[in-house]
Amino acid sequence: MDFQNTLAYAEQLDREDPLKGYRDAFYFPKVHGKEVIYFTGNSLGLQPKTSQNYVDEIMADWKALAVEGHFHAGKPWWDYHERLAAPLAKIVGARPEEITVMNTLTVNLHLLMVSFYRPTRSRFKILCEEKAFPSDQYMLQSQVRWHGLDPETTIVELKKRPGEHFWRTEDVCSKIEELGDSLALVMIGGVNYYNGQVFDMEAITRAGKAAGAYVGWDLAHAAGNVSLELHDWQVDFAAWCSYKYMNSGPGNASGAFIHEKHLGKTDIPRLEGWWGTSKETRFLMKPEFEPIPTADAWQLSNPSVLSLAPYMASLELFEEAGMPALIEKRDKLTAYLEFILKAIDDEVTSRFEIITPKDRGCQLSVFLHGEGRSLFDYLMQQGVITDWREPNVIRLAPAPFYCRFSDMYRFGQLLKKGILEKAG
Ligand SMILES: *Cc1c(COP(=O)(O)O)cnc(C)c1O
């Protein structure tokens, strides 16, 4: 594409954007009375204007119906979570029965590890990426110790090649092959939170399955951002949070995927509770657990409907816009941001470097040579919300639902000004 670094050109792209109307479906924070340029949809998505109504609906039903709301609310609470399965299945490439919504992400990864990390004397190793998101590291280490094993000798971290900022699929696959019969689980973040890399989940899952291991993905930065085909790829399990690209609200419920082939089993190791037992007989309060033949068998408690409500509001926007359109805009918007960054970098004579590889979703991670934190602070003061990661990386995620091409242009101008001012 022949992009141009001008406001007129960026505004032209905005006018041609088929998703332009969605910007108005979200609330924006303001700085100096102006809506911010929001680059942190990968950390906490903006609030859809419809979320409040969904929450109010639950509050009103609770007020008017109290316990009767479980069965007689407009959207009855006892199976409220099931309404989220179909739209989520479309987003992650699954069958609705492979999806459940419950707890939060780290909790769900722990629960899924109970089922899919079953170390034996010979097959016990876990392969993950080096410098995984800290919560995933703690989760893996504590699981390993809980099994009486030593994280040092059990967890194998995939390294990047010296001098490179990304992992190569061939290196991941050859490591899997090398570990072979000792490999129990491959567990990686599908989109790396730091460099924005999208792993080749299909190829890596295939390699993991060929080695006889289970394969699970942490999709925190992938769900609602990149194209996923979890069912067809034969992924064993996956989980994601909903408050990043999925705009469901701070700390909100996590989604989990469990492949069809693991459903409907009574003998699978699993931590269980009453919300995982058959709905038909649940209220007979019988002592036997009869697993729901869907991923809901992993549910323990009756869910917090108040938190599912804004998640549902957000999923309706995804239903309406559709992932293919979001992905198409994402690619164009991110490419435009990359173009702007390169143009500015030329003008200020190479002060930064994009470390995100070509296999990417929404996010570009920019490594700053120099300025660092003070530039980040400057941008914040100018109403550009970015995200800072040590040692000196700024992460920019122009979420396609609500970011504009003209925001990319304006950001470029502010970035240039910031760099030149700092350089004095
Ligand atoms: C955001 C994120 C988490 C967050 O976990 P919570 O349990 O929702 O607090 C976990 N893992 C990854 C890779 C993340 O990006």
Side-chain angles (χ1 to χ4, degrees), residues 104-106 133 135-136 193 218 220-221 241 243-244:
T104 45
L105 174 54
T106 308
F133 190 82
S135 196
D136 295 24
Y193 80 99
D218 177 336
H221 282 262
C241 46
Y243 47 82
K244 294 177 178 168

Side-chain angles (χ1 to χ4, degrees), residues 259-367:
H259 198 277
E260 191 178 49
K261 63 190 169 220
H262 303 302
L263 302 178
K265 294 196 173 153
T266 45
D267 57 350
I268 194 163
R270 176 172 52 210
L271 297 181
E272 294 170 341
W274 74 321
W275 232 252
T277 198
S278 156
K279 286 199 294 187
E280 286 67 38
T281 55
R282 180 180 300 153
F283 295 100
L284 301 178
M285 302 296 189
K286 296 193 306 178
E288 308 86 34
F289 182 86
E290 293 171 25
I292 300 177
T294 73
D296 284 344
W298 274 259
Q299 279 200 327
L300 300 177
S301 301
N302 78 104
S304 163
V305 179
L306 273 172
S307 78
L308 298 183
Y311 197 174
M312 194 143 90
S314 156
L315 288 177
E316 298 212 331
L317 293 175
F318 274 93
E319 269 292 278
E320 209 180 274
M323 280 305 286
L326 285 162
I327 287 173
E328 199 181 322
K329 175 168 175 193
R330 176 204 72 190
D331 284 343
K332 195 165 171 187
L333 193 58
T334 307
Y336 188 55
L337 174 60
E338 183 180 31
F339 165 82
I340 296 277
L341 283 167
K342 286 187 174 152
I344 300 298
D345 195 37
D346 283 346
E347 291 179 34
V348 297
T349 57
S350 297
R351 305 290 182 78
F352 52 81
E353 178 187 355
I354 298 171
I355 59 167
T356 302
K358 64 178 178 11
D359 297 323
R360 68 190 185 199
C362 189
Q363 174 182 330
L364 292 181
S365 301
V366 181
F367 193 89

Side-chain angles (χ1 to χ4, degrees), residues 348-391:
V348 297
T349 57
S350 297
R351 305 290 182 78
F352 52 81
E353 178 187 355
I354 298 171
I355 59 167
T356 302
K358 64 178 178 11
D359 297 323
R360 68 190 185 199
C362 189
Q363 174 182 330
L364 292 181
S365 301
V366 181
F367 193 89
L368 301 170
H369 302 293
E371 297 82 11
R373 181 102 211 180
S374 66
L375 180 61
F376 164 78
D377 292 337
Y378 171 84
L379 290 170
M380 288 295 272
Q381 284 152 17
Q382 300 300 314
V384 182
I385 315 283
T386 67
D387 165 289
W388 174 259
R389 290 288 136 148
E390 296 297 334

